[in-house]
Amino acid sequence: MSKLSDNPSLKEIDAYKKKLNWGDVPTIYQLATNSIREMDGLLTHGFNNAFKQLLDQRNWNLNTTTQSSNIIGKVTTGKPKISLYHNINEQHYELHCYPIINNEPVKEAQFNNPQCPFIEWAPLTMQTLFRLNSLLPFIVYTFQKGDLADYALIRYANQRVDELITVLSQSFDITDIKGYSIAEFCKEVYRKQSQSQS
């Protein structure tokens, strides 16, 4: 493998990283890649997680969705409304979710609220859909002294987050997405680095 394909898998990126570094992969890369691997398994592994809880229609309050009939009389149910938030702190990237009640995202726990799109909403177990540990230090490291595999890993993480948001948009009416995405955070790091060098 002399170079990466245009759309490499995580396995390909890892193999390329090992080749570039003669098998000596930095810890910061390993931390980021392990976290991304966990995110990749959200929908395929049998473990219960916030993402799967959100998609479990048994917890949806269908009274909050609008129903409509098409020309041939087939009734379709609207999608529950949620808001997403890219949460970035000094160490981690997280994707947060909030139910929409009266056109506002709600952060408090809800139980049998007739206006909540979920029968039960427990922020402690449902708000953080997933976390990418150590991603932010890895991005900063990449912009300072990263190689092609490091950049490929960041692109891969951003692409996977976008794909998971697309999965959510198939089941939910996402009213808005706030906060810095991984790509936007990278642009900001690049901008600040360019300013400090000029």
Side-chain angles (χ1 to χ4, degrees), residues 61-76:
N61 179 4
L62 297 179
N63 294 330
T64 63
T65 60
T66 53
Q67 293 187 335
S68 59
S69 301
N70 63 13
I71 299 171
I72 50 175
K74 182 181 177 191
V75 176
T76 56

Side-chain angles (χ1 to χ4, degrees), residues 15-171:
Y16 189 66
K17 180 69 176 174
K18 286 176 185 164
K19 183 181 176 191
L20 289 176
N21 291 274
W22 300 90
D24 186 22
V25 178
T27 304
I28 194 162
Y29 176 90
Q30 291 173 353
L31 290 170
T33 210
N34 287 343
S35 189
I36 293 166
R37 194 171 283 112
E38 284 177 24
M39 177 186 63
D40 267 355
L42 277 177
L43 297 174
T44 55
H45 290 85
F47 307 113
N48 192 15
N49 57 54
F51 208 88
K52 283 185 179 177
Q53 281 183 305
L54 201 66
L55 292 170
D56 183 355
Q57 294 187 16
R58 294 172 298 182
N59 189 36
W60 292 5
N61 179 4
L62 297 179
N63 294 330
T64 63
T65 60
T66 53
Q67 293 187 335
S68 59
S69 301
N70 63 13
I71 299 171
I72 50 175
K74 182 181 177 191
V75 176
T76 56
T77 302
K79 300 175 180 180
K81 292 184 178 187
I82 60 171
S83 171
L84 298 177
Y85 181 69
H86 297 286
N87 186 39
I88 290 179
N89 63 33
E90 291 178 8
Q91 291 294 316
H92 315 299
Y93 165 86
E94 298 174 339
L95 184 65
H96 288 192
C97 175
Y98 304 99
I100 299 295
I101 300 176
N102 296 324
N103 297 321
E104 291 292 327
V106 175
K107 297 181 181 179
E108 300 81 24
Q110 303 292 317
F111 184 72
N112 285 334
N113 178 342
Q115 297 178 321
C116 181
F118 301 96
I119 296 165
E120 287 183 35
W121 176 260
L124 210 59
T125 58
M126 297 175 75
Q127 178 180 303
T128 303
L129 298 180
F130 57 85
R131 170 186 290 155
L132 296 177
N133 294 318
S134 304
L135 185 67
L136 283 299
F138 175 71
I139 290 172
V140 172
Y141 162 85
T142 298
F143 276 88
Q144 289 172 350
K145 52 185 173 187
D147 56 33
L148 292 174
D150 297 328
Y151 284 100
L153 185 64
I154 294 170
R155 278 192 302 278
Y156 180 84
N158 185 66
Q159 179 184 338
R160 291 298 290 139
V161 169
D162 286 348
E163 287 168 6
L164 288 171
I165 290 173
T166 300
V167 168
L168 289 175
S169 71
Q170 292 165 2
S171 297

